[in-house]
Amino acid sequence: MSERHRLVVGNWKMHETAGQAENLARAVLAALPPLDARAHSEVVLAPPFTALAAVHAVVADSVVALGAQNMHWGESGAYTGEISAPMLLDLGVRYVILGHSERRRYFHESDEEINRKVRAALSHGLMPIVAVGETADERDTGMTDARVVAQTSAALDGVEPANLARLALAYEPVWAIGTGRNCPPAEADRVMGCIRGTLPGLEHTRILYGGSVTPANFASYLACENCDGGLIGGASLDANAFVQLAILALAA
Ligand code: PEP
């Protein structure tokens, strides 16, 4: 039996104005049954930066924690358009998604930049959720394992072993994100095992699956040895679907 507590994270991406996000967060809280504090399982909502304050006002003092979708590694400075860890902490943020494939693909984030962000987040007391995953081409050419291991070891370079339990990894096959083509659970479990084997100490790190998760398929991932929860995109924009996912994770 794993000692790792379940984690379910809703990544709202570039959706919802502050007012819409506030309503969505209220709907999630209203539908969520009381969580057993002894379970220490966590539910996180990650709205866009512009809605963090509004969502914080709703989830503060609840079992739901606040997450951000990105951050810069610096504390402050001449980085127009960027947001730092102290700014996130000031808004009540506890988790930050780093290295999402959309950031890697559309904003050309490198493994080195992601590593700087991971170390900065940890040094400020934020909990990074680091996404790794192969593209369809990499899978088709047999590169899946090498790709996720390389991304994981680069992202965690220089991270103190004691900090490995303070972060989470998310296995998100790029071809499964937002496509409705989820990775078969047994294969996802195999790859998550590969990710876990990248470094000693990762046996205490939560690994989430992400990629077209729905209430209909999530239980099959949660049943996997290496899966400790989910990073949810599309289904997190529907309060009822997201709460169903949270309930499945908490019950598993
Ligand atoms: C994601 O964006 O991290 C994600 C997993 O999206 P979706 O659930 O929509 O595939």
Side-chain angles (χ1 to χ4, degrees):
M1 207 37 200
S2 164
E3 294 297 311
R4 302 181 300 263
H5 304 300
R6 305 265 179 202
L7 176 62
V8 180
V9 182
N11 173 15
W12 292 356
K13 309 195 186 192
M14 196 172 73
H15 294 288
E16 313 299 314
T17 62
Q20 291 165 340
E22 184 180 334
N23 290 337
L24 182 52
R26 279 194 203 291
V28 168
L29 271 192
L32 205 57
L35 296 185
D36 182 348
R38 286 166 306 166
H40 299 296
S41 295
E42 286 136 85
V43 178
V44 177
L45 296 179
F49 290 133
T50 49
L52 285 170
V55 173
H56 183 247
V58 176
V59 303
D61 303 321
S62 81
V63 291
V64 174
L66 191 60
Q69 300 173 18
N70 183 29
M71 58 166 252
H72 191 269
W73 58 79
E75 290 207 12
S76 62
Y79 297 105
T80 301
E82 293 291 328
I83 308 276
S84 69
M87 293 170 183
L88 296 180
L89 288 165
D90 187 46
L91 290 172
V93 170
R94 290 181 45 217
Y95 292 81
V96 60
I97 301 168
L98 296 173
H100 192 283
S101 62
E102 289 154 12
R103 302 269 347 146
R104 295 177 191 260
R105 177 175 174 197
Y106 300 123
F107 305 100
H108 313 293
E109 281 192 12
S110 67
D111 282 335
E112 197 220 335
E113 287 169 321
I114 293 161
N115 174 249
R116 291 178 82 170
K117 294 179 181 198
V118 169
R119 286 186 287 136
L122 287 168
S123 75
H124 283 93
L126 285 165
M127 289 181 264
I129 300 160
V130 185
V132 300
E134 81 286 1
T135 62
D137 276 355
E138 288 163 347
R139 171 158 288 270
D140 291 346
T141 52
M143 294 298 296
T144 297
D145 297 7
R147 187 74 185 119
V148 298
V149 166
Q151 287 177 328
T152 305
S153 54
L156 303 185
D157 189 35
V159 170
E160 297 287 323
N163 275 338
L164 291 177
R166 292 185 46 228
L167 55 87
L169 293 161
Y171 171 50
E172 297 211 308
V174 179
W175 49 271
I177 296 180
T179 58
R181 250 187 89 203
N182 57 306
C183 183
E187 170 59 8
D189 191 36
R190 189 194 68 73
V191 180
M192 289 187 281
C194 197
I195 292 169
R196 202 179 287 294
T198 303
L199 294 174
L202 287 181
E203 62 274 16
H204 305 300
T205 302
R206 288 178 290 186
I207 303 183
L208 315 181
Y209 170 76
S212 297
V213 169
T214 65
N217 63 30
F218 196 34
S220 320
Y221 293 101
L222 292 169
C224 295
E225 162 101 28
N226 283 299
C227 181
D228 304 306
L231 178 52
I232 317 296
S236 70
L237 293 168
D238 175 329
N240 286 324
F242 184 67
V243 167
Q244 282 181 57
L245 297 173
I247 291 170
L248 283 168
L250 303 182

